Structure formats: C-alpha cells, structure tokens
Amino acid sequence: MAGAVVDELAGSALGWGLVITAVVAAGVAAANCSRAGAWWVIPAPPLVVAAVTVAAEELAGGARSHGKGLSTTAAHWAIDAFPAMAAAEVMVIAVLAVRFVRARRSRRNTGT
C-alpha cells in the first residue's frame, strides 16, 4: 500500500512504487510462510495488488463514474496493476522454488 500511496502523491498513475513494494512484500511472504502456507501465498499477489489498486484509486478520488464509465475505469485499474501483479507473482514463484531446491538438497545431504 505504501508504494501506491507514493505513486498517488507523486501525481502519476500507479507505477514503480506499487511494483517495488508488491515485489518486496511478496518475497517476504514467500520466504516466511510455512510449507502448507505456500498454497495460500501463491495465488495472493494478484488479489492483493488488485485490492490495493482499487483502494488507492478510490482514496485518491480517481473514480467518479458509474455504468459504462465505471467499467472503463476498472479496465484502467487492471492495466495499471498488471505489472505489479506479474512481478509479485514471479517473485513468489522464484522464492518458493529456491526454498524447495534448498530443502531437497539439505534432505539429500543429511541422508533422510
């Protein structure tokens, strides 16, 4: 949310601030979750980024339309949020893959 706030205060559309904070948050979540919790972390980035995008745009007063205008606004939100969603999802998958490889190596080295 901090990145979205910075982007909104800068007067631009959601951009690098949202992307960077989403990636960092996704990496921290994936690094600290339990093995069972990974199934909850994997689908979370797009949902969380979408919620943050809608909240940031609404709080900034970006959406004042209804009907057809609202669907156009929602499409713009999705377009603005997609890079952050994709980058955060890639980070989650990368961190979980590293954790998986390390766990396999440590099991193989200890002989269990």
Side-chain angles (χ1 to χ4, degrees):
M1 184 72 167
V5 170
V6 169
D7 285 340
E8 290 296 339
L9 290 176
S12 63
L14 296 176
W16 287 108
L18 179 62
V19 173
I20 291 167
T21 55
V23 168
V24 169
V28 169
N32 293 316
C33 71
S34 66
R35 184 174 175 160
W39 292 108
W40 291 99
V41 173
I42 291 170
L47 301 172
V48 171
V49 170
V52 167
T53 300
V54 170
E57 293 289 343
E58 283 294 322
L59 291 174
R64 295 285 180 242
S65 53
H66 302 287
K68 288 184 181 180
L70 182 59
S71 58
T72 302
T73 302
H76 284 286
W77 290 344
I79 292 166
D80 288 345
F82 182 77
M85 290 178 186
E89 192 66 41
V90 167
M91 176 59 89
V92 165
I93 292 168
V95 170
L96 292 176
V98 168
R99 284 182 57 186
F100 177 75
V101 168
R102 284 185 177 176
R104 285 186 59 113
R105 285 185 181 168
S106 69
R107 273 187 257 143
R108 187 174 26 180
N109 290 341
T110 59
T112 57

